[in-house]
């Protein structure tokens, strides 16, 4: 939790390298998640050595994990911004569905790939703006406002599609999921570029600093001259834009638009952000942590299918990881808050 | 604090938003999507029974369409009823869950229709509603999801989930006969539904007749996205596959997408349900999908026809008996390239 008014601690001023920190938290706090990922890979190596100890197959498998993580990853990045800013966005899955359906109607498809992508991005962003307006100008609680748009957007998506699966006939859209420049799937590249841009936005711009400030202490941020309403509006629009990007990715992967797309994405994104160290109360969170959080969940999913195990165990494992991650964080936060021992 | 004039910015931004909204609304409608071509999904035979009889009102209730198959059920029932001049169809909304549908049926009973066609949210939970209608003298045609008490319906007409798995298992078994240790993958639907368990049991039994068994099993959620997701991972788990059975053609769109994205083609695939899209793939041979086993939503059309006969006290013309039978289980048919042309009119839009 950052306190805007607090003077910088000696530790913070010492760290002046470019990699000094990520969202005002030490990079090494993410080491725990890296450890979990390594542990999952070791489990894979022990139980399915034919895949995890074979260089070529391991590479292909991990590219699959990254590809399957890409759309929820982009959504989680948007969610991380909203949560650091002290809000929550429950509508992400429904906005994804709405954007995918809107961009794959027969009429939209007739205009070609460019218009389809544009439509998805605009629908996502505008829906995000509606969230933002409801919350910052309508003074609604984020949980309630985005709950409402979640239900409404899913319903609108069902209305537009007539609950049919809208198969994409525009080949260049489907190619997005097939194209692998330099052997790396384009979807993975989109995910990585989004993550890098988000990292810069959060850690190297006033926008990022203000986001942390608003989430940490809105009153102090307001007194410091930050326009709370406009900033909140931008955060939700950003999350909506991420939904639009993810909608294009999912549509390409599924070769269809559907009102069923992005089912339970809101919970997956929140869970990934939380195990990545984002505080539900705002003011704290990192992009690297959220990306790692997504990868942990996707890797578990992959491991269970590769080991031919039933999915219920995987749900149990996910629950345990969420609890473990949050418990560990609380210990760490408690340790950070303890006053330095005399003489240290 | 920035000192830009906020009103000018707002004006500019609002203009852009309005403009794009108008453009989107103008050019992204879906009108062409609904012109479905399903001339083969409803049918009135020539013969004595087709002649208009006593005018009847028919109650109909099915869960809201969340899936291509359920949507086809409601569409087919509506269209079939429209083919009969003597049938007035009263549709009641099934609501969100079983209790809501129970309430809807109670309201329907008050209106005293001559017969009720009911696809329950949940067979067991709607049994009491079926009994209440029967008790009020209204025959009930139980569509697909079976009541827990046979006394709650006059006629049960349903698909054959076990038979569907059996047909898929037998088809794959026959094609792989003689192969040593073939890799057979199964992509199930929602795993905790009885229908999924029945399909999987049938599939195991069908394969067992050829001494084969399922080597990799994954479960999706009947949605395109989940089909793509489980298949992408499945293809990593098994570097070489001989055959795949996918329970559901709706999620099959995603399954085929994942196969294409992974560039795999060493196996053949069998689908389930019989959607139009799957049949078109089978016909054109542009994908590993070579067959699909049916679970036809045309059963709704048949249910409406039979409900009409029940209400008018007529029997089925090919049977000697004077009344419609008590139970009809549709057979699951295997559609391949050889017979796909015959089935294409029955394919439903997923």
């Amino acid at each position: 939790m950052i306190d805007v008014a607090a003077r910088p601690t000696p530790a913070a001023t010492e760290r002046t390298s470019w990699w000094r920190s990520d969202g005002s938290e030490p990079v090494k706090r993410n080491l725990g998640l890296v450890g979990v990922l390594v542990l999952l890979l070791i489990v894979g190596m022990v139980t399915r050595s034919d895949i995890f100890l074979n260089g070529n197959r391991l590479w292909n498998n991990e590219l699959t994990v990254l590809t399957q993580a890409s759309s929820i990853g982009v959504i989680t990045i948007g969610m991380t911004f909203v949560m650091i800013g002290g809000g929550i966005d429950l509508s992400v899955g429904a906005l994804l569905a709405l954007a995918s359906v809107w961009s794959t109607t027969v009429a939209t498809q007739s205009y070609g790939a460019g218009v389809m992508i544009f439509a998805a991005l605009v629908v996502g962003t505008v829906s995000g703006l509606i969230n933002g307006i409801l919350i910052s100008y309508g003074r609604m609680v984020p949980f309630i406002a985005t709950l409402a748009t979640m239900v409404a957007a899913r319903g609108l998506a069902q209305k537009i599609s007539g609950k049919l699966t809208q198969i994409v006939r525009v080949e260049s859209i489907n190619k997005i999921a097939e194209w692998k420049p330099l052997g790396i799937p384009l979807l993975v590249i989109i995910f990585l570029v989004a993550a890098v841009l988000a990292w810069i936005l959060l850690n190297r711009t006033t926008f990022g600093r203000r986001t942390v400030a608003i989430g940490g202490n809105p009153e102090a941020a307001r007194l410091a001259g930050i326009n709370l309403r406009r900033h909140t509006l931008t955060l939700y629009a950003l999350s909506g834009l991420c939904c639009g990007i993810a909608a294009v990715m999912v549509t390409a992967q599924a070769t269809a638009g559907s009102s069923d797309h992005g089912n339970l994405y809101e919970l997956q994104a929140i869970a990934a952000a939380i195990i990545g160290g984002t505080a539900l109360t705002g003011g704290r969170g990192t992009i690297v942590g959220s990306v790692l959080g997504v990868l942990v969940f996707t890797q578990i999913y992959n491991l269970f299918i590769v080991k031919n195990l039933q999915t219920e165990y995987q749900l149990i494992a996910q629950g345990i990881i969420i609890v473990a991650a949050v418990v560990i964080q609380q210990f760490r936060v408690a340790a950070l808050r303890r006053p330095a021992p005399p003489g240290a | 604090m920035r000192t830009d004039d906020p009103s000018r910015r707002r004006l500019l931004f609002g203009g852009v938003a309005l403009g794009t909204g108008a453009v989107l609304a103008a050019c992204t409608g879906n009108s062409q999507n609904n012109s479905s071509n399903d001339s083969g999904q409803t049918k009135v035979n020539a013969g004595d029974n087709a002649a208009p009889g006593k005018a009847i009102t028919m109650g109909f209730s099915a869960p809201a369409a969340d899936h291509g198959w359920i949507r086809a059920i409601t569409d087919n029932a509506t269209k079939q009823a429209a083919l009969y001049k003597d049938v007035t169809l009263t549709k009641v909304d099934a609501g969100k869950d079983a209790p809501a549908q129970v309430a809807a049926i109670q309201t329907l009973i008050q209106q005293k229709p001559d017969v009720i066609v009911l696809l329950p949210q949940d067979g067991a939970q709607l049994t009491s509603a079926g009994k209440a209608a029967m008790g009020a003298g209204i025959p009930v045609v139980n569509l697909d999801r079976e009541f827990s008490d046979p006394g709650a319906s006059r006629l049960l007409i349903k698909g054959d989930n076990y038979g569907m798995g059996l047909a898929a298992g037998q088809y794959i078994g026959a094609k792989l006969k003689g192969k040593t240790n073939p890799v057979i993958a199964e992509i199930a639907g929602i795993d905790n539904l009885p229908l999924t368990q029945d399909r999987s049991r049938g599939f195991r039994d069908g394969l067992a007749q050829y001494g084969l068994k399922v080597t990799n099993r994954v479960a999706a959620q009947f949605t395109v996205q989940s089909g793509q997701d489980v298949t992408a991972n499945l293809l990593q788990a098994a570097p070489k596959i001989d055959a795949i059975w996918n329970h559901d053609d709706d999620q099959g769109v995603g399954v085929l997408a994942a196969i294409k994205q992974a560039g795999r083609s060493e196996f053949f695939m069998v689908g389930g349900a019989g959607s139009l899209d799957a049949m078109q793939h089978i016909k054109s041979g542009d994908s590993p999908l070579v067959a699909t086993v049916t679970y036809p939503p045309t059963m709704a059309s048949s249910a409406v026809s039979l409900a009409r006969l029940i209400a008018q006290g007529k029997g089925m013309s090919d049977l000697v008996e004077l009344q419609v039978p008590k139970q009809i289980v549709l057979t699951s048919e295997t559609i391949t390239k050889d017979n796909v042309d015959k089935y294409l009119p029955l394919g439903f839009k997923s």
Side-chain angles (χ1 to χ4, degrees):
Chain A
M1 194 91 44
I2 189 169
D3 190 351
V4 182
R7 76 196 147 79
T9 60
T13 44
E14 268 168 35
R15 215 190 307 268
T16 48
S17 74
W18 194 74
W19 278 100
R20 66 183 185 274
S21 73
D22 177 6
S24 73
E25 291 283 343
V27 169
K28 69 178 176 202
R29 70 167 299 119
N30 292 318
L31 284 180
L33 283 178
V34 174
V36 172
L37 272 178
V38 170
L39 189 71
L40 289 173
L41 288 179
I42 290 173
V43 170
M45 284 171 193
V46 173
T47 56
R48 274 305 293 266
S49 52
D50 60 325
I51 294 175
F52 286 88
L53 287 179
N54 174 327
N56 194 25
R57 286 193 65 187
L58 178 63
W59 172 247
N60 279 330
N61 189 55
E62 292 313 303
L63 281 185
T64 303
V65 169
L66 281 170
T67 312
Q68 297 307 116
S70 58
S71 60
I72 183 68
V74 170
I75 295 259
T76 306
I77 287 169
M79 181 72 82
T80 306
F81 274 94
V82 169
M83 285 174 68
I84 292 175
I88 197 151
D89 188 351
L90 297 180
S91 67
V92 288
L95 295 195
L96 187 157
L98 180 61
S100 89
V101 163
W102 205 314
S103 66
T104 54
T105 56
V106 175
T108 318
Q109 285 199 38
S110 69
Y111 289 91
V115 171
M116 289 172 70
I117 294 172
F118 180 73
L121 300 185
V122 170
V123 169
T125 312
V126 169
S127 311
L129 273 173
I130 292 173
N131 276 335
I133 290 167
L134 290 178
I135 292 160
S136 56
Y137 294 94
R139 296 178 187 275
M140 286 177 79
V141 182
F143 189 95
I144 308 288
T146 58
L147 185 68
T149 43
M150 168 176 104
V151 180
R154 188 74 73 181
L156 184 57
Q158 288 173 354
K159 178 72 198 124
I160 293 173
S161 67
K163 288 160 185 167
L164 288 169
T165 304
Q166 302 186 147
I167 294 171
V168 175
R169 308 286 176 197
V170 181
E171 268 307 304
S172 42
I173 289 284
N174 296 341
K175 283 278 183 292
I176 293 173
E178 290 168 30
W179 198 35
K180 292 176 186 167
L182 305 173
I184 312 279
L186 180 61
L187 292 179
V188 176
I189 295 173
I190 296 174
F191 178 24
L192 292 181
V193 168
V196 168
L197 290 179
W199 190 90
I200 293 170
L201 186 62
L202 183 61
N203 298 302
R204 292 289 171 270
T205 65
T206 27
F207 180 86
R209 294 291 173 209
R210 284 177 176 173
T211 306
V212 177
I214 285 177
N217 190 337
E219 189 53 26
R222 195 184 62 81
L223 290 174
I226 300 175
N227 186 337
L228 285 190
R229 285 179 167 178
R230 199 165 65 195
H231 197 92
T232 306
L233 188 69
T234 322
L235 285 179
Y236 284 94
L238 183 68
S239 176
L241 175 65
C242 287
C243 296
I245 297 171
V248 175
M249 298 165 82
V250 170
T251 303
Q253 270 184 299
T255 66
S258 162
S259 54
D260 287 332
H261 280 352
N263 189 26
L264 296 183
Y265 261 30
E266 54 283 349
L267 296 185
Q268 288 183 37
I270 293 168
I274 283 179
I275 70 164
T278 306
L280 208 50
T281 45
R284 184 160 55 87
T286 66
I287 297 299
V288 176
S290 291
V291 169
L292 287 172
V294 169
L295 290 184
V296 164
F297 282 139
T298 323
Q299 183 67 59
I300 294 177
Y301 187 65
N302 170 262
L303 205 57
F304 273 82
I305 291 186
V306 161
K307 281 177 55 55
N308 206 10
L309 282 172
Q310 290 186 338
T311 39
E312 50 262 36
Y313 298 111
Q314 170 213 332
L315 298 176
I316 298 169
Q318 284 188 359
I320 292 172
I321 286 184
I322 294 172
V323 171
V326 172
V327 167
I328 291 170
Q329 273 170 35
Q330 282 173 347
F331 277 119
R332 284 178 146 272
V333 171
L336 286 173
R337 279 191 186 154
R338 248 197 310 277
Chain B
M1 188 71 194
R2 305 278 289 271
T3 50
D4 310 42
D5 176 7
S7 64
R8 202 173 56 200
R9 285 179 133 205
R10 225 169 272 166
L11 204 66
L12 180 68
F13 176 75
V16 169
L18 271 178
T20 44
V23 169
L24 272 174
C27 65
T28 56
N30 213 3
S31 51
Q32 293 165 63
N33 220 358
N34 294 326
S35 60
S36 53
N37 170 28
D38 55 1
S39 50
Q41 307 221 356
T42 52
K43 189 175 180 183
V44 178
N45 273 336
D48 290 349
N49 282 342
K54 184 183 78 164
I56 55 160
T57 52
M58 187 184 296
F60 178 81
S61 176
D66 52 358
H67 189 253
W69 190 86
I70 289 270
R71 185 193 149 94
I73 284 279
T74 305
D75 282 359
N76 285 345
T78 313
K79 285 180 185 151
Q80 180 73 28
L83 293 180
Y84 293 112
K85 288 197 178 67
D86 48 1
V87 173
T88 315
L89 194 71
T90 313
K91 282 192 280 189
V92 291
D93 190 25
K96 254 193 130 44
D97 50 16
Q101 198 180 16
V102 170
I105 297 300
Q106 279 160 355
T107 327
L108 188 59
I109 293 172
Q110 301 306 316
Q111 300 172 24
K112 299 216 178 300
D114 296 292
V115 61
I116 293 176
V117 177
L118 173 60
L119 195 146
Q121 296 268 14
D122 178 281
Q125 292 185 61
L126 263 294
T127 302
S128 60
K131 272 186 172 163
M134 293 288 282
I138 306 167
V140 175
V141 175
N142 180 194
L143 190 54
D144 199 43
R145 297 179 193 164
E146 194 172 349
F147 291 146
S148 52
D149 180 349
S153 67
R154 164 65 185 80
L155 165 68
L156 167 68
I157 174 164
K158 63 171 185 174
D160 185 6
N161 284 304
Y162 175 84
M164 200 177 155
L166 193 70
Q170 286 168 336
Y171 180 85
I172 288 175
K175 279 199 100 165
L176 293 180
K177 203 160 63 176
K179 241 187 163 151
T180 47
N181 297 325
V183 179
I184 301 170
E186 180 185 1
I187 302 171
I190 298 173
D191 227 358
N192 53 1
L193 294 181
L195 72 92
T196 299
Q197 289 152 14
D198 287 345
R199 288 176 188 184
S200 286
R201 193 162 49 83
F203 189 53
R204 281 197 300 274
D205 292 352
L207 288 176
Q209 292 175 3
Y210 294 86
L212 302 173
K213 57 177 192 254
V214 179
T215 43
N216 292 72
R217 186 179 187 282
V218 291
Q221 261 121 45
F222 287 137
T223 63
V224 182
Q225 196 189 0
S226 66
Q228 194 275 345
D229 198 14
V230 296
T231 311
N233 286 299
L234 170 73
L235 294 176
Q236 294 302 319
K240 201 190 148 297
I241 297 176
D242 291 287
I244 294 180
W245 181 43
N246 166 45
H247 282 208
D248 179 71
D249 286 337
D250 278 341
Q251 72 188 21
V253 174
V255 171
L256 288 174
I259 290 170
K260 192 164 176 229
Q261 282 148 19
R264 296 274 291 269
S265 59
E266 79 278 6
F267 48 81
F268 67 92
M269 176 174 146
V270 177
S275 74
L276 189 60
D277 184 59
M279 291 191 205
Q280 281 162 350
H281 278 300
I282 292 169
K283 188 176 161 75
S284 68
D286 61 352
S287 76
L289 188 67
V290 295
T292 188
V293 288
T294 61
Y295 196 86
T298 48
M299 67 174 74
S301 314
S302 304
V304 166
S305 289
L306 295 177
R308 169 178 171 270
L309 293 183
I310 290 170
Q312 295 177 341
K314 296 177 186 164
M316 292 166 75
S317 54
D318 285 338
L319 302 184
V320 181
E321 286 72 24
L322 296 178
Q323 294 292 330
V324 172
K326 174 88 177 89
Q327 189 170 25
I328 293 175
V329 183
L330 301 173
T331 179
S332 182
E333 296 148 82
T334 309
I335 302 176
T336 62
K337 200 165 187 164
D338 297 330
N339 61 7
V340 66
D341 286 323
K342 193 172 69 173
Y343 285 95
L344 263 174
L346 298 180
F348 63 94
K349 283 192 152 189
S350 58

